[in-house]
Amino acid sequence: MTGWSTDRIPDQHGRVAVVTGANSGLGLVTATELARHGAHVVLAVRNTRAGGEAARRVGGDVEVRELDLACLASVRAFAAKMAGDHPAIDLLVNNAGVVLLGPRRTSADGFELHLATNMLGHFALTGLLLGNLAAAREARVVSLSSITHKNAHLDFADLMFERDYRAATAYGRSKLATTIFGVELDRRLRAVGAPIVSALAHPGLTRTNLTPRAWEHRGRFGRMIAWGGLLATQPVQRGALPQLRAATEPGVRGGQFFGPSGLWETRGRVTEARFSREAADPAVGKRLWAAAEDLTGITYL
């Protein structure tokens, strides 16, 4: 199968890259390739022991820092230390995410856990590091979407999904929110003439450790479903290509969205993907941005 590959990643020496959720799955592959091409990569992880093990696998110029996206205090602490140690940040890959198909859970701040981790934490992190990104030459923010965003719909009257909770729906909503965030970030960066590109990517159906974890609450039956589902997915090395292209390809434009080209965007070579109508709606973007500012207490752009 031909198409974009990691061989096309240009030299990354002199660049500082932050990858959230970099200790496994898509984040680990992304961090590995960035480091292999010369970047100084910050593995932003909730579990620093797992992060240390990942750093040894990645090799190259890497460091491990603690970041729990489901805790705004942790996000603030991470950003403050990063901002002091790295005045210019060239790349922020908002990769980390959770898929939890059990009962409803909440974050340290009382938010529904999918939304807290997948979108609100990254919204806050991006805002807190925006000055460092602006100080870099040709900086980028890459937000990780999902094909599940295409069938999702935000309920602004119940963003925390306190009524009639359904886990799969909550995950889809969180990924729609993440996608809307990436698109709205691009609009706002353009509006103020900021020298930062906001691009997006999704991995299609990719084999990561999130799938078995999502079904662990169902015991043996859940493990059978999870591992059966893994047989229908593409390898994580291929699933990471869209976000690596968004992060490194010269000339990527703000608002570009990359994903697999085959079988309803579930697998295959990297191409430009399509947003759902709701994800691309400026009115929805404006409304979600205001909600995120109110929930996180972080205002920017």
Side-chain angles (χ1 to χ4, degrees):
M1 186 179 294
T2 60
W4 195 91
S5 72
T6 55
D7 293 338
R8 296 176 64 175
I9 296 176
D11 181 49
Q12 300 293 299
H13 282 90
R15 303 190 81 211
V16 174
V18 178
V19 182
T20 68
N23 61 295
S24 65
L26 297 165
L28 178 59
V29 174
T30 298
T32 300
E33 290 298 334
L34 291 170
R36 187 167 73 89
H37 287 82
H40 174 81
V41 184
V42 178
L43 310 184
V45 299
R46 184 171 56 86
N47 184 332
T48 54
R49 177 176 292 182
E53 294 172 358
R56 287 188 286 275
R57 293 174 61 187
V58 170
D61 185 10
V62 301
E63 60 176 301
V64 178
R65 299 202 179 203
E66 183 176 0
L67 171 64
D68 182 355
L69 287 159
C71 174
L72 290 174
S74 175
V75 175
R76 289 181 182 276
F78 173 88
K81 189 72 165 58
M82 275 297 303
D85 294 344
H86 297 285
I89 296 173
D90 300 272
L91 175 63
L92 172 59
V93 183
N94 289 327
N95 163 85
V98 294
V99 186
L100 302 166
L101 298 186
R104 182 179 181 274
R105 305 184 201 181
T106 56
S107 71
D109 304 289
F111 306 142
E112 191 279 318
L113 195 54
H114 288 101
L115 188 68
T117 305
N118 298 350
M119 185 269 174
L120 290 174
H122 283 127
F123 174 89
L125 179 65
T126 303
L128 292 168
L129 294 180
L130 201 66
N132 303 74
L133 289 159
R137 183 173 175 269
E138 299 180 345
R140 293 187 193 178
V141 177
V142 177
S143 298
L144 191 63
S145 177
S146 164
I147 54 174
T148 61
H149 95 272
K150 295 176 184 286
N151 296 316
H153 171 70
L154 291 187
D155 180 358
F156 283 97
D158 187 21
L159 274 179
M160 295 305 146
F161 218 149
E162 295 177 290
R163 299 189 300 270
D164 302 320
Y165 180 79
R166 298 180 301 281
T169 303
Y171 173 73
R173 287 182 180 182
S174 74
K175 280 303 186 178
L176 172 58
T178 301
T179 309
I180 294 168
F181 162 60
V183 175
E184 182 65 14
L185 177 62
D186 169 59
R187 290 194 193 100
R188 291 175 182 249
L189 290 168
R190 289 172 185 257
V192 300
I196 304 168
V197 165
S198 172
L200 300 96
H202 81 79
L205 295 180
T206 292
R207 200 172 305 135
T208 74
N209 62 343
L210 290 183
T211 304
R213 286 181 182 175
W215 288 95
E216 62 186 9
H217 68 289
R218 296 293 300 273
R220 183 179 178 184
F221 177 69
R223 289 193 295 272
M224 291 174 61
I225 293 176
W227 292 112
L230 291 178
L231 298 176
T233 56
Q234 63 179 355
V236 68
Q237 289 78 12
R238 179 164 291 280
L241 292 181
Q243 63 200 68
L244 281 165
R245 182 175 177 182
T248 64
E249 184 171 68
V252 167
R253 304 182 308 278
Q256 273 193 284
F257 184 29
F258 297 99
S261 61
L263 197 62
W264 302 292
E265 296 185 16
T266 61
R267 64 185 66 242
R269 62 183 180 82
V270 183
T271 189
E272 286 205 47
R274 294 185 178 184
F275 298 113
S276 71
R277 181 174 297 181
E278 187 167 338
D281 187 335
V284 176
K286 183 177 180 179
R287 190 175 182 186
L288 180 63
W289 193 278
E293 288 182 332
D294 182 60
L295 290 165
T296 63
I298 295 172
T299 302
Y300 59 105
L301 294 175

